[in-house]
């Protein structure tokens, strides 16, 4: 049996985590929270053009892995904002 305060604190923790995630998404794309949809999309396309793993085929494996992780973070941030 779960106590009411257990549910409340669980809700509060989820709410704080969600708020931090959206802030992190905007920071990842390098735009403000008040940016327009066009600015968000432009930032996303600019960053993906730089870190797209398919364009970095000739690089060393560690650099490619780092670019893949960065591209994944950028993509996740864009999906969260949209």
């Amino acid at each position: 049996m779960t106590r009411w305060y257990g549910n409340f604190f669980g809700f509060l923790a989820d709410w704080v985590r969600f708020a931090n995630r959206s802030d992190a998404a905007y920071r990842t794309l390098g735009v403000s929270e008040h940016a327009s949809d066009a600015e968000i999309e432009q930032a996303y396309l600019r960053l993906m053009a730089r870190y797209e793993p398919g364009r970095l085929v000739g690089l060393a494996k560690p650099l490619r892995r780092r670019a893949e992780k960065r591209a994944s973070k950028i993509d996740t941030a864009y999906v969260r904002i949209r």
Side-chain angles (χ1 to χ4, degrees):
M1 183 164 126
T2 306
R3 305 268 183 201
W4 69 269
Y5 52 83
N7 290 335
F8 173 74
F9 287 125
F11 167 76
L12 188 61
D14 288 344
W15 183 76
V16 168
R17 273 184 281 184
F18 178 74
N20 289 339
R21 285 183 191 162
S22 64
D23 292 344
Y26 286 104
R27 274 187 271 127
T28 299
L29 293 179
V31 296
S32 73
E33 293 182 16
H34 306 291
S36 67
D37 289 342
E39 291 171 329
I40 293 169
E41 187 167 350
Q42 184 180 15
Y44 169 74
L45 293 175
R46 177 179 45 83
L47 290 170
M48 285 305 288
R50 181 184 296 172
Y51 293 105
E52 184 180 5
R55 299 182 81 196
L56 306 173
V57 174
L59 290 178
K61 272 191 175 183
L63 293 176
R64 255 192 324 210
R65 265 189 246 123
R66 191 180 314 164
E68 287 171 358
K69 287 180 184 177
R70 181 76 172 140
S72 176
K73 286 182 182 179
I74 293 166
D75 194 46
T76 302
Y78 182 69
V79 168
R80 273 204 187 120
I81 292 173
R82 299 297 280 173

